[in-house]
Amino acid sequence: MAVNLTVEQLKMKELISKTDSQQLYPFPSTRFQGSKYKITNWIWENVKDLEFNTVLDAFGGTGSVSHLFKNKGKQVTYNDILKFNFTIGKALIENNHEQLSKEEVDFIITKHNQLNYPTFIQDTFHNVFYLDEENQWLDYVVTNIKKLDNEYKQAIAWFALFQACIIKRPYNLFHRANLYVRTADVKRGFGNKTTWDKPFEEHFINFVKEANKAVFSNGTSCKSISYNALDVPNVEKYDLVYIDTPYISAKGVGTDYLDFYHFLEGMLDYDQWKERILEKYKHLPIEGRGTNEWTKKNKIYNAFDELFNKYSNSTLVVSYRSDGIPSEKEIIELLKKYKNNVIEVHSKDYQYALAHKKSSEILFIAK
Ligand SMILES: C[S@@+](CC[C@H](N)C(=O)[O-])C[C@H]1O[C@@H](n2cnc3c(N)ncnc32)[C@H](O)[C@@H]1O
């Protein structure tokens, strides 16, 4: 296919050819469940010879794989059903130039006397995830972020706030009201109390620095969108679709991202948060918990089938784990319904954050 490249793209191409499997712009560190950021070079080694210019990252998460493709000069569309992730996609994928300055960071982390700050987090989440003074910090920082008038600068600030919130949580999740894990006066054989107790402000500033370094233009127009992957419009425009669905373990336990990260989704919708909270649960999740087809073992076969059918005109690259439901064999059978050529590649062992035993990371490439 003949393509006319812009000057920026040509420059990028030249740089890429010099950097081989490395990424020119580093991806920020993250403790998000299931992130592939530690294995993006391995993914690239396995897909770099495929012919493609446009790519959809259908279950984008942290955006680490989208960012890899952006680094490699591809026109990337990042998608995730959760709005907090979509905002991360705005900050790190769609954003070509905007960074947060020191003055803007100072504005965000300062409590301004002339402003009348709401107190929703401190009123609602006492003793749930963070200490009282940390909840107060969150109330005014969220309010300050909403006052920024540039959507990409605002998205970087959200990104840094979300990562700071994740890193200060035991297990890096919001699935239990378990502040006591952090505060109990016990000898610990696990966890990272120093990280949990480090002030929000310090984490926030570090993550802004990391995000600023990840912002660049590759000369194409990259986008962040937020749909159920089964409803993404105009799919015929993607040469390649990267698929990294939530994982269901062999025991049938799914990964409910909304339940794991509801607190971040809530902060982003601060003014309506109250109406969305399910008060019957101690960890105060928001409605929608448990409704995702990718978390249910009796729905996931059909979901994969529908997904592969929907994107059957594109090259499919599927990240998978060797011990999940459906099995590797079943995934291959489903892919073969729609694609003639299916290749399976196993990585060296790859340990997931919460897994006790090692499971191997797989890529299915279907053309
Ligand atoms: C395994 S994670 C993706 C990790 C990502 N590749 C990374 O490197 O960070 C799965 C993602 O799918 C998103 N998700 C779950 N159900 C979805 C759906 N129906 N449509 C689109 N995204 C969905 C979750 O919010 C989560 O971020």
Side-chain angles (χ1 to χ4, degrees):
M1 183 193 331
V3 239
N4 291 324
L5 299 181
T6 62
V7 177
E8 232 170 337
Q9 277 173 301
L10 285 168
K11 264 200 262 164
M12 191 73 192
K13 253 188 151 23
E14 199 190 320
L15 278 172
I16 288 164
S17 64
K18 287 183 187 152
T19 52
D20 191 24
S21 68
Q22 297 299 312
Q23 296 192 45
L24 276 176
Y25 296 87
F27 191 74
S29 57
T30 178
R31 300 200 182 178
F32 185 77
Q33 179 94 21
S35 173
K36 299 295 176 288
Y37 93 108
K38 287 189 178 151
I39 56 164
T40 47
N41 286 342
W42 174 75
I43 293 177
W44 181 246
E45 283 309 306
N46 286 295
V47 303
K48 66 180 182 190
D49 294 329
L50 300 171
E51 255 183 56
F52 66 107
N53 289 310
T54 51
V55 46
L56 170 70
D57 184 0
F59 298 80
T62 56
S64 69
V65 178
S66 286
H67 198 256
L68 160 79
F69 287 133
K70 189 177 176 187
N71 262 285
K72 300 302 178 190
K74 308 295 180 188
Q75 183 173 347
V76 183
T77 301
Y78 165 103
N79 176 64
D80 199 285
I81 199 165
L82 294 180
K83 295 293 179 277
F84 88 90
N85 277 333
F86 157 73
T87 307
I88 292 177
K90 284 257 170 197
L92 302 178
I93 309 301
E94 188 173 305
N95 178 12
N96 285 330
H97 302 291
E98 300 292 351
Q99 299 180 327
L100 268 188
S101 67
K102 184 173 177 317
E103 292 68 38
E104 285 154 345
V105 170
D106 284 344
F107 171 82
I108 293 167
I109 61 178
T110 301
K111 192 169 183 187
H112 304 282
N113 288 336
Q114 69 277 23
L115 290 180
N116 195 4
Y117 288 105
T119 56
F120 180 71
I121 297 177
Q122 53 197 285
D123 295 342
T124 314
F125 288 92
H126 168 68
N127 228 353
V128 178
F129 298 130
Y130 302 109
L131 307 175
D132 288 346
E133 63 270 24
E134 293 174 336
N135 286 334
Q136 281 174 28
W137 188 89
L138 289 171
D139 275 322
Y140 74 75
V141 165
V142 166
T143 310
N144 291 343
I145 291 177
K146 288 184 347 163
K147 297 213 173 294
L148 298 179
D149 56 11
N150 177 294
E151 71 166 325
Y152 296 114
K153 285 177 187 281
Q154 200 176 56
I156 293 179
W158 282 122
F159 165 82
L161 183 64
F162 297 153
Q163 298 304 326
C165 285
I166 290 173
I167 206 168
K168 276 175 70 68
R169 289 283 308 135
Y171 309 104
N172 304 121
L173 298 175
F174 301 88
H175 65 323
R176 302 253 187 283
N178 59 359
L179 180 62
Y180 62 87
V181 172
R182 180 180 147 192
T183 52
D185 191 10
V186 290
K187 222 172 162 203
R188 286 193 176 75
F190 71 97
N192 189 342
K193 184 149 167 68
T194 318
T195 307
W196 300 336
D197 289 345
K198 195 194 264 192
F200 259 121
E201 196 166 299
E202 276 182 49
H203 286 303
F204 180 80
I205 291 170
N206 282 337
F207 282 117
V208 168
K209 283 186 189 148
E210 290 192 22
N212 276 345
K213 284 191 202 143
V215 174
F216 69 102
S217 163
N218 73 359
T220 74
S221 157
C222 295
K223 284 266 168 283
S224 179
I225 58 175
S226 183
Y227 290 93
N228 182 329
L230 297 172
D231 299 329
V232 170
N234 308 323
V235 296
E236 59 292 339
K237 68 181 180 194
Y238 302 113
D239 301 334
L240 184 144
V241 178
Y242 174 72
I243 293 171
D244 185 17
T245 64
Y247 163 76
I248 299 192
S249 74
K251 287 186 182 150
V253 181
T255 314
D256 189 341
Y257 279 88
L258 182 58
D259 197 49
F260 278 5
Y261 297 105
H262 60 93
F263 189 79
L264 311 181
E265 199 74 349
M267 279 198 302
L268 195 62
D269 193 20
Y270 191 91
D271 296 338
Q272 272 76 49
W273 196 354
K274 190 177 183 353
E275 286 82 64
R276 297 175 67 187
I277 282 184
L278 300 172
E279 285 180 359
K280 63 179 169 171
Y281 301 102
K282 281 196 181 138
H283 66 304
L284 301 174
I286 56 181
E287 77 227 334
R289 172 184 190 272
T291 56
N292 192 324
E293 53 268 70
W294 299 97
T295 63
K296 304 221 179 329
K297 67 174 180 180
N298 57 343
K299 295 213 172 140
I300 197 161
Y301 293 89
N302 281 345
F304 268 112
D305 195 15
E306 205 183 314
L307 191 76
F308 294 160
N309 185 15
K310 177 176 172 78
Y311 296 110
S312 57
N313 288 327
S314 309
T315 297
L316 302 179
V317 174
V318 184
S319 267
Y320 211 64
R321 269 173 76 172
S322 53
D323 58 351
I325 294 178
S327 68
E328 290 167 62
K329 206 168 141 256
E330 287 163 332
I331 293 281
I332 292 176
E333 274 164 17
L334 283 171
L335 281 168
K336 284 193 169 160
K337 274 177 78 176
Y338 304 102
K339 305 300 267 182
N340 295 327
N341 183 353
V342 180
I343 304 166
E344 177 176 359
V345 193
H346 277 257
S347 80
K348 46 198 180 305
D349 278 76
Y350 175 61
Q351 175 102 52
Y352 272 74
L354 284 181
H356 296 299
K357 63 172 186 163
K358 285 190 173 176
S359 71
S360 114
E361 183 70 21
I362 303 171
L363 271 188
F364 297 106
I365 299 168
K367 292 187 275 189

Short mmCIF file of all heavy atoms in Angstrom, two decimals, residues 76 221 224 229 278:
data_model
loop_
_atom_site.label_atom_id
_atom_site.label_comp_id
_atom_site.label_asym_id
_atom_site.label_seq_id
_atom_site.Cartn_x
_atom_site.Cartn_y
_atom_site.Cartn_z
N VAL A 76 -2.14 5.14 15.91
CA VAL A 76 -2.74 4.32 16.96
C VAL A 76 -4.08 4.87 17.42
O VAL A 76 -4.23 6.07 17.65
CB VAL A 76 -1.81 4.29 18.21
CG1 VAL A 76 -2.38 3.37 19.28
CG2 VAL A 76 -0.41 3.84 17.84
N SER A 221 -1.98 10.95 13.40
CA SER A 221 -2.98 11.44 14.34
C SER A 221 -3.45 10.25 15.20
O SER A 221 -4.22 9.41 14.74
CB SER A 221 -4.10 12.05 13.51
OG SER A 221 -5.28 12.06 14.22
N SER A 224 -7.64 8.63 21.37
CA SER A 224 -8.12 7.83 22.50
C SER A 224 -9.64 7.80 22.43
O SER A 224 -10.28 8.85 22.28
CB SER A 224 -7.66 8.47 23.82
OG SER A 224 -8.14 7.72 24.90
N ALA A 229 -15.36 -2.89 23.63
CA ALA A 229 -14.60 -3.33 22.45
C ALA A 229 -15.50 -3.95 21.39
O ALA A 229 -15.16 -3.97 20.21
CB ALA A 229 -13.52 -4.31 22.88
N LEU A 278 -22.49 2.21 45.33
CA LEU A 278 -23.31 1.13 45.90
C LEU A 278 -22.95 0.99 47.38
O LEU A 278 -21.93 0.41 47.73
CB LEU A 278 -23.01 -0.19 45.18
CG LEU A 278 -23.29 -0.21 43.67
CD1 LEU A 278 -22.77 -1.49 43.04
CD2 LEU A 278 -24.79 -0.06 43.42
#
